């Protein structure tokens, strides 16, 4: 049985490697100083999608991302690793979206696609760590969901079986397709780029990126359908504009503060034996240890 | 109506600590707002569960008891909460930031079109002035959470939509019953009114769950390692020191991400918040998101070969040196000096 699989991916600032210039003097985030990367758990999700495609020849893996035009980079990255097709959903109307408005926009875009069997996405994105968009998209599409997945074990006879990792152990769940699955970082890492696919898709672009390209390249792109990454704006989806962006977001940011910790007066020691023994004796005498 | 609700996580008939912590916080919020605190218990064999809940100052316990409701699955639990919330119109709804609460919360918030803030580290009541709309909101829930990898702390509000929903991790709030004799009411729900057969679309085929053997939350001494420990092997030193001192081993997010330690040991905003009497940070640089999870420890010792490591600023003792040198010495002199 061939499957129609969708991966939801997000381009995120790399908050794990925050340098000194990542915050401005005013305490706001200096996005320009942070490299934009493929959200790590979305890569785990992509791998699960590609494994399903390996097991079910003839399956299609489509990738959808919402973000600025430069998020097309995420689609190319997915194509290099084995995805078949991608779409970038981008519009100023989505600016300021919280998770609910984001999942609304994504669910409207997903309705543009042919009937899906499985939607996979990362459990959460590292810029927000909320883990909300997956389940909210599922709810809006009226789909069941399995979160915290570590492995999609099988898809057979219209049913999907998934191993999930939760705090105190594992669970294996089974349910009917279609199903939305969110994937944990503990799932297998994504396969690397494939050299042949890299050559094939190196020049894949969304129409917006083509505007900056020269005519030779435009004619090359026009002649090769597979180099077309889909670009959707608010007019390409059927939606209620009031549900988008800031107006569609029930949560508002009231205040943002830079984190400053109260520094303590600390005693500095070296690794010298005498100093370490004195420290141990002090901790024993004040009953911290012992 | 318009009360504070807490969804209770139940495993084998026992209410999770995270839920009792939220009830404690919920009681404070309800008192501040002069409203009631209500708990929702969904599962099976819940006879007498209200007796555990009332001491936390719970005024009403809603119980949905059915063999199909345990273990937790998404759709039936969300169906009950969605309908119950539509009837009872809570102003605030809290749940644990666990694999249950983070599966359930977004589903419910999406259906009710209410705002949900994940992983809050503080919840407060306050007002908000919307200058554009020239409107003042009183008694909103301030949902305070780290964002951007812990580099900023944001205060989130839901001015217009109800309930104001938030999840909180285990260990962030304190658990404290207020009165062993507190009396509330039980509202037994007729499960068939809330859940339809189609909600049981996903079934649990296998389940291997055991109470975690790792309990860093209540350990009085924590020896914690970061990426600077170098490898999973490097963590063995920490286990040695923890064993000698009678403590537990913790880890930073970087060490867990690198596979040096189990996720259950992760300390920080995306792990557990701890307040031991002694915290020994080994090879941890001290990213904000880690410090936020351990800064309330009584005594902090930082061992690091980088004298400028941010962790040093919150430490009582800074030992500048290699962990491979310092930890064996700590073990040696502890053995020598302890009785």
């Amino acid at each position: 049985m061939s499957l129609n699989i969708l991966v939801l991916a997000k381009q995120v600032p790399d908050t794990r490697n925050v340098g000194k210039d990542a915050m401005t003097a005013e305490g706001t985030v200096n996005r320009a100083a942070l490299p934009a990367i493929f959200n790590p758990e979305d890569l785990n999700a992509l791998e699960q999608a590609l494994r399903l495609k390996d097991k079910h020849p003839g399956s299609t893996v489509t990738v959808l991302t919402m973000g600025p035009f430069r998020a097309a980079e995420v689609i190319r990255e997915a194509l290099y690793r084995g995805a078949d097709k991608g779409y970038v959903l981008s519009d100023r109307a989505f600016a300021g979206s919280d998770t609910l408005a984001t999942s609304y926009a994504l669910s409207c875009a997903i309705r543009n696609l042919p009937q899906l069997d499985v939607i996979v996405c990362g459990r959460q994105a590292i810029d927000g760590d909320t883990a909300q968009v997956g389940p909210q998209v599922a709810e809006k599409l009226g789909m069941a969901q399995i979160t915290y997945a570590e492995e999609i074990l099988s898809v057979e006879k219209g049913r999907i079986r998934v191993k999930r990792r939760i705090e105190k152990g594992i669970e294996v769940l089974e349910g009917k397709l279609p199903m939305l699955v969110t994937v944990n970082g503990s799932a297998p890492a994504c396969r690397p780029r494939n050299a042949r696919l890299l050559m094939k898709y190196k020049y894949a672009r969304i129409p917006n990126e083509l505007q900056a390209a020269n005519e030779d390249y435009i004619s090359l792109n026009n002649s090769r359908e597979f180099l077309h990454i889909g670009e959707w704006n608010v007019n390409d989806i059927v939606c209620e504009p009031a549900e988008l962006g800031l107006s569609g977001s029930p949560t508002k940011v009231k205040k943002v503060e830079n984190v400053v910790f109260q520094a303590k007066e600390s005693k500095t020691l070296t690794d010298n034996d005498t100093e370490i023994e004195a420290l141990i004796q002090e901790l024993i005498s004040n009953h911290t240890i012992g | 109506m318009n009360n504070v609700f807490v969804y209770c996580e139940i495993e084998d008939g026992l209410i999770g600590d995270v839920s009792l912590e939220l009830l404690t916080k919920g009681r404070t919020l309800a008192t501040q707002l002069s409203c009631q605190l209500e708990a929702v218990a969904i599962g099976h064999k819940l006879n007498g569960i209200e007796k555990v809940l009332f001491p936390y100052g719970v005024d009403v316990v809603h119980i949905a008891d059915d063999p199909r409701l345990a273990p937790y699955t998404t759709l039936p639990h969300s169906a009950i909460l969605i309908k119950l919330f539509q009837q009872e119109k809570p102003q605030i709804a809290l749940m644990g930031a666990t694999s249950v609460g983070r599966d359930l919360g977004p589903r419910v918030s999406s259906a009710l079109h209410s705002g949900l803030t994940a992983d809050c580290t503080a919840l407060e009541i306050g007002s908000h002035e919307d200058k554009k709309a020239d409107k003042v909101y009183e008694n909103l829930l301030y949902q305070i959470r780290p964002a951007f990898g812990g580099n900023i702390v944001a205060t989130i509000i839901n001015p217009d939509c109800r309930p104001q929903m938030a999840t909180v991790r285990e260990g962030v709030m304190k658990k404290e019953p207020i009165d062993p004799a507190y009396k509330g009411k039980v509202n037994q729900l007729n499960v068939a009114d809330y859940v339809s057969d189609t909600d049981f679309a996903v079934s649990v085929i296998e389940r291997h769950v055991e109470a975690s053997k790792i309990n860093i939350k209540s350990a009085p001494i924590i020896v914690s390692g970061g990426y600077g420990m170098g490898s999973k092997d490097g963590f063995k030193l920490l286990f040695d020191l923890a064993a000698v001192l009678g403590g537990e081993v913790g880890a930073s997010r970087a060490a867990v991400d690198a596979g040096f330690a189990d996720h259950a040991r992760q300390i920080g905003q995306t792990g557990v918040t701890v307040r031991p009497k002694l915290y020994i940070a080994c090879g941890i640089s001290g990213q904000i998101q880690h410090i936020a999870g351990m800064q309330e420890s009584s005594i902090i010792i930082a061992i690091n070969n980088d004298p400028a490591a941010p962790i040093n600023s919150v430490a009582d003792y800074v030992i500048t040196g290699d962990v491979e040198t310092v930890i064996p010495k700590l073990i040696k002199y502890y053995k020598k000096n302890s009785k």
Side-chain angles (χ1 to χ4, degrees), chain A residues 124 128-129 136 139-140 143 147 167 171-172 174 252 254-255 257 264 266-267 269 271 273 282, chain B residues 99 102-103 107 109-110 145 153 155 157 203 205 207 313 315-318 329 333 336-337:
Chain A
Q124 63 191 41
D129 287 323
Q136 288 176 337
E139 195 280 332
K140 300 216 176 300
M143 272 166 95
T147 55
E167 292 88 352
E171 271 183 352
V172 176
E174 196 193 276
K252 313 280 176 212
K254 178 171 171 59
K255 191 170 73 174
E257 285 168 299
K264 287 187 187 169
S266 48
K267 241 187 236 179
L269 321 173
D271 58 6
D273 285 65
E282 186 182 331
Chain B
S99 61
R102 295 169 108 236
D103 183 81
R107 190 101 197 170
S109 87
S110 176
R145 79 177 301 256
V153 171
T155 302
I157 48 171
S203 45
I205 306 287
R207 198 156 194 273
S313 69
D316 300 277
Y317 299 92
V318 175
K329 285 185 185 176
Y333 291 112
K336 186 179 153 196
N337 286 283

Side-chain angles (χ1 to χ4, degrees), chain B residues 30-253:
Chain B
T31 304
Q32 254 180 294
L33 294 166
S34 313
C35 71
Q36 296 202 320
L37 173 65
E38 308 195 21
V40 185
I42 304 173
H44 185 43
K45 293 187 184 158
L46 302 180
N47 268 344
I49 200 140
E50 66 277 6
K51 294 193 192 79
V52 186
L53 297 170
F54 289 147
Y56 289 86
V58 176
D59 299 298
V60 181
V61 181
H62 303 270
I63 300 179
D65 193 324
D66 187 294
R68 298 172 300 171
L69 293 174
Y72 167 86
T73 50
T74 312
L75 297 179
H77 281 238
S78 24
I80 293 170
L81 276 195
I82 290 163
K83 192 150 183 205
L84 185 65
F85 286 179
Q86 281 165 344
Q87 293 164 341
E88 301 291 331
K89 307 202 181 336
Q91 54 174 313
I92 292 174
L94 308 176
M95 45 190 85
T98 60
S99 61
V100 171
R102 295 169 108 236
D103 183 81
L104 176 66
R107 190 101 197 170
V108 174
S109 87
S110 176
L112 298 176
H113 197 281
S114 67
L116 167 64
T117 306
D119 299 5
C120 295
T121 48
L123 297 171
E124 292 164 11
I125 302 295
S127 62
H128 175 65
E129 190 186 348
D130 185 341
K131 292 202 176 90
K132 258 190 239 159
D134 193 22
K135 205 169 162 187
V136 177
Y137 297 85
E138 298 294 346
N139 292 329
L140 287 182
L141 181 67
Y142 286 0
Q143 302 149 57
I144 300 161
R145 79 177 301 256
F148 240 74
N151 296 284
I152 54 176
V153 171
T155 302
I156 313 285
I157 48 171
N158 312 337
D160 298 308
C161 302
R162 295 291 175 272
Q164 306 167 79
M165 294 180 63
T167 65
V168 179
R169 280 176 184 276
E170 183 168 336
V172 172
M173 305 288 174
K174 282 183 184 137
K175 175 178 93 174
E176 234 163 358
I178 55 157
D179 176 5
Y182 199 92
K183 273 283 161 286
K185 283 187 301 201
V186 171
N187 175 29
Q188 199 79 37
L189 304 177
N190 180 13
V191 174
D193 292 344
Y194 291 83
V195 188
S196 68
D197 287 345
T198 51
D199 287 325
F200 297 96
V202 176
S203 45
V204 180
I205 306 287
E206 256 180 77
R207 198 156 194 273
H208 306 284
V209 172
E210 49 186 62
S212 177
K213 290 181 192 83
I214 306 167
N215 189 0
I216 49 172
K217 205 178 66 172
S218 52
I221 296 173
I222 295 175
V223 180
S224 195
Y227 194 71
M229 294 308 295
S231 67
K232 199 169 181 171
D233 273 355
F235 257 70
K236 282 184 187 150
L237 264 181
L238 305 181
F239 282 97
D240 293 345
L241 179 58
V244 169
L245 298 179
E248 260 295 356
V249 172
S252 71
R253 181 177 184 166

Side-chain angles (χ1 to χ4, degrees), chain A residues 13 15-18 23 27-29 31 34 98-100 103 123-124 126-133 135-140 142-148 159 161 164-176 179 243 246-259 261-274 276-277 279-284 286-290, chain B residues 71-75 97-100 102-104 106-107 109-111 113-119 127-129 142-143 145-161 201-212 221 245 253 257 270 277-278 287-288 291-292 295 297-301 312-322 325-326 329-330 332-334 336-338:
Chain A
T15 55
R16 295 172 307 177
N17 296 303
V18 174
M23 305 297 292
T28 59
V29 176
R31 280 179 187 262
L34 294 167
D98 70 359
T99 64
L100 203 66
S103 58
R123 179 188 51 140
Q124 63 191 41
I126 57 169
D127 55 346
D129 287 323
T130 73
Q132 291 174 3
V133 170
Q136 288 176 337
V137 167
E139 195 280 332
K140 300 216 176 300
M143 272 166 95
Q145 72 191 44
I146 298 177
T147 55
Y148 286 76
R159 296 185 74 79
R161 198 172 266 224
R164 66 195 297 255
R165 178 153 299 274
I166 52 180
E167 292 88 352
K168 291 170 181 168
I170 61 143
E171 271 183 352
V172 176
L173 301 190
E174 196 193 276
K176 249 171 69 179
M179 183 70 75
E243 297 294 311
L246 269 182
S247 65
S249 301
T251 61
K252 313 280 176 212
V253 178
K254 178 171 171 59
K255 191 170 73 174
V256 168
E257 285 168 299
N258 217 341
V259 178
F261 292 107
Q262 196 63 47
K264 287 187 187 169
E265 206 170 296
S266 48
K267 241 187 236 179
T268 304
L269 321 173
T270 67
D271 58 6
N272 167 300
D273 285 65
T274 326
I276 289 186
E277 184 163 18
L279 170 64
I280 288 284
Q281 284 166 344
E282 186 182 331
L283 293 175
I284 290 175
N286 64 24
H287 304 289
T288 301
I289 53 175
Chain B
Y72 167 86
T73 50
T74 312
L75 297 179
T98 60
S99 61
V100 171
R102 295 169 108 236
D103 183 81
L104 176 66
R107 190 101 197 170
S109 87
S110 176
H113 197 281
S114 67
L116 167 64
T117 306
D119 299 5
S127 62
H128 175 65
E129 190 186 348
Y142 286 0
Q143 302 149 57
R145 79 177 301 256
F148 240 74
N151 296 284
I152 54 176
V153 171
T155 302
I156 313 285
I157 48 171
N158 312 337
D160 298 308
C161 302
V202 176
S203 45
V204 180
I205 306 287
E206 256 180 77
R207 198 156 194 273
H208 306 284
V209 172
E210 49 186 62
S212 177
I221 296 173
L245 298 179
R253 181 177 184 166
D257 284 349
T270 49
K277 63 175 182 173
L278 176 63
Q287 287 217 337
I288 285 163
I291 293 181
Q295 58 172 334
S297 308
S298 310
I299 294 181
I300 297 168
I301 301 177
N312 295 351
S313 69
V314 296
D316 300 277
Y317 299 92
V318 175
I319 306 178
T320 307
D322 281 334
T325 318
V326 175
K329 285 185 185 176
L330 288 172
K332 178 177 150 193
Y333 291 112
Y334 176 76
K336 186 179 153 196
N337 286 283
S338 69

Side-chain angles (χ1 to χ4, degrees), chain A residues 96-107:
Chain A
S97 292
D98 70 359
T99 64
L100 203 66
T102 302
S103 58
Y104 177 72
L106 284 170
S107 65

